[in-house]
Amino acid sequence: MQQTPTSSSRARILSGMRPTGKLHLGNYMGALANWVKLQDDYECYFFIADWHALTTDYADPSRVKLNTLDVALDWLAAGLDPQRSTIFIQSHVPQHAELHLLFSMITPLGWLERVPTYKEQQENITGKDLSTYGFLGYPLLQAADILLYQPQLVPVGQDQVAHVELTREVARRFNSMYKTEVFPEPDALLTPSPKLPGTDGRKMSKSYGNTIGLTEAPTAIAFKIHTMSTNGQRIRQTDPGDPDLCPVGDIHKVFSSPELISSTQRGCRTATLRCESCKMDAARSVCAVTAPIHEARIRFEHQIDQTWDMLREQSAFASKRAEQTMLAVRAVFDLSHDLGSIRRYFTSSEDGQQKARDLSQHSDWWNLPQDQRAKQLRDYWKSNLLPRDIQLFQESNRVFSTLDRELEEPFLTAKKKRIFVSTSRDVEQPDKWEFEVPSRSYEVWTLLCWRDQDRTLHDFPIPQKVFTPDFATARKSLKKDEKVSVSIFRTESNHFFLSIAGKTGKDISALEQNYEPLN
Ligand code: SF4
């Protein structure tokens, strides 16, 4: 299994299931069989939603853990592969709860009340009091489950499309409210779910007690199909029947070969095939799929400890990926875990400032994708290094914060100076940092150099007069939307030089940490 969450070139997908115990053929055909295939083409996250189980089973949680393990064993038996997918337990990744809580602050009640399944399930699930906050909020927990991993796609059945739509709305609201792009809006990847009746002809569902288990023994499956309803077709075996009206006919359509389907249809319509033989054929077709899964399940049942360890390990891995998102979310709410941003209000001592430039405690940022790391660093700079009197400005009785500004726009200081802020890390070549500056007018550039070797941040506020001549020349030869390449390099004698569009560098060592140009 991969050890560090990195962005893969494949699109990321995420899906989950509530732990309701062993899976049935409906669960397999409606979701799991598809997930097994998706593993080849996508970066996959699959989770067992044990907190979701509590939204309806809160009064008796005694089976939740057993059901969780049962689902995991069925997933593994069916071919979900921890080498290729991250398979984890929702409650082992506390970031799901944290993000759900934060989303609950910004989500209007009406959005949740109008989710179609809310009213429907309240009416259908009898014997449980579902007038709880948890039940109303479960689609929002689902939105947090999804967005935490920033997936492009969410494989779902038709009945879950409304939940993905709510997820997109939550993402949109968050991004626009905080002027950020933390959450890409995921699309639903619709899983075709074939009509699969239960043994009594109704939809296969645990609540009807009509299921055929995915990992049941072939003899048990054959017996269930043998006793299956034919929905009133062919009361006498000499009567012709209609296989499109018979649940056994539907089983054939899902599991049998095209040849067997057409010979069954012919035999049924012409009364030349006995129902008993037809059912035996159907059972054989089903067991051809389920028998290897049944055997695999028995093998995995002998490895309960290893399976649980695997789930815990993969949950820890998922938690690392989730933490990448939460770093950005906490920054939005100014809930980051470092003291730095507060320290600045109490001390302006050199020592405090020096501490703030030491990034060694933020080694988790190293794992972030490049764009997120850059944003993280800019946010950090704004909270920890940018002098407080420059930070905020007031206009018509409203206090604005430079925090509102995104990278491509200039930040505005209290005195309305336009500053360009960019970050770079010297990975390609030690002590050399490269930047791309848009062809626009700025009064100050603030270039942040993240030095890999000692994990220190060097900050250079550079006034217009230093960069203007070379920048103006470079801009002349640019096409629309092209940017000017700028670099900073450090010499052995510990001097820093600024070079614009390949021009010989200017010594900018004296500008380090000097925020005068912003005033
Ligand atoms: S022959 Fe098969 S499809 Fe036709 S009624 Fe009998 S069981 Fe159903």
Side-chain angles (χ1 to χ4, degrees), residues 326-425:
M326 288 315 296
L327 283 173
V329 173
R330 288 191 209 108
V332 163
F333 290 103
D334 202 11
L335 297 170
S336 70
H337 292 183
D338 56 84
L339 171 68
S341 56
I342 304 295
R343 187 197 293 123
R344 196 164 56 90
Y345 286 84
F346 294 92
T347 171
S348 55
S349 73
E350 289 251 309
D351 187 40
Q353 289 284 303
Q354 248 2 85
K355 271 200 189 116
R357 286 181 172 83
D358 173 7
L359 296 179
S360 51
Q361 56 172 317
H362 297 289
S363 53
D364 46 350
W365 293 354
W366 258 253
N367 299 329
L368 294 174
Q370 156 69 20
D371 56 333
Q372 281 185 38
R373 193 169 52 223
K375 171 145 191 355
Q376 198 69 34
L377 198 61
R378 286 197 311 277
D379 288 345
Y380 182 84
W381 166 78
K382 281 180 283 185
S383 320
N384 294 271
L385 299 177
L386 183 63
R388 186 158 53 130
D389 51 332
I390 292 168
Q391 174 90 261
L392 299 171
F393 64 95
Q394 204 165 358
E395 202 172 71
S396 332
N397 293 331
R398 271 184 69 199
V399 175
F400 291 84
S401 165
T402 49
L403 293 175
D404 299 345
R405 306 290 162 163
E406 275 305 312
L407 173 68
E408 291 297 318
E409 299 173 37
F411 288 95
L412 288 184
T413 69
K415 306 255 170 72
K416 302 280 180 67
K417 293 219 169 178
R418 297 149 57 85
I419 12 172
F420 169 72
V421 183
S422 188
T423 72
S424 177
R425 180 181 161 200

Side-chain angles (χ1 to χ4, degrees), residues 228-231 233-234 237 241-250 252 264-265 267-269 273-279:
M228 213 165 157
S229 150
T230 57
N231 211 4
Q233 294 299 301
R234 306 196 51 202
Q237 290 295 288
D242 184 349
D244 291 334
L245 299 178
C246 172
V248 182
D250 289 331
H252 272 295
T264 302
Q265 296 236 335
C268 179
R269 291 185 207 281
L273 172 71
R274 294 181 60 80
C275 286
E276 208 177 290
S277 317
C278 172
K279 287 175 172 179

Side-chain angles (χ1 to χ4, degrees), residues 66-117:
L66 174 63
N67 287 348
T68 297
L69 186 59
D70 260 331
V71 168
L73 291 169
D74 278 1
W75 282 6
L76 296 173
L80 283 196
D81 176 4
Q83 301 291 332
R84 289 186 289 159
S85 296
T86 305
I87 301 168
F88 65 99
I89 301 174
Q90 182 191 31
S91 71
H92 290 213
V93 183
Q95 288 91 343
H96 288 247
E98 185 182 0
L99 188 57
H100 176 215
L101 175 89
L102 294 172
F103 279 164
S104 75
M105 308 295 174
I106 66 163
T107 305
L109 263 185
W111 287 15
L112 298 174
E113 285 162 344
R114 67 158 204 250
V115 171
T117 46

Side-chain angles (χ1 to χ4, degrees), residues 167-185:
T167 301
R168 292 166 57 88
E169 278 178 284
V170 172
R172 216 173 298 146
R173 184 172 173 88
F174 182 96
N175 289 344
S176 81
M177 189 172 274
Y178 303 110
K179 298 184 178 58
T180 172
E181 288 171 8
V182 174
F183 297 114
E185 290 179 38

Side-chain angles (χ1 to χ4, degrees), residues 17-24 27 48 53 57 63-75 206 215 297:
M17 266 187 210
R18 267 177 196 233
T20 51
K22 290 185 182 179
L23 305 183
H24 56 68
N27 305 130
I48 304 170
D57 298 342
R63 290 188 66 86
V64 173
K65 195 185 237 180
L66 174 63
N67 287 348
T68 297
L69 186 59
D70 260 331
V71 168
L73 291 169
D74 278 1
W75 282 6
K206 280 205 173 136
T215 53
R297 161 99 196 186

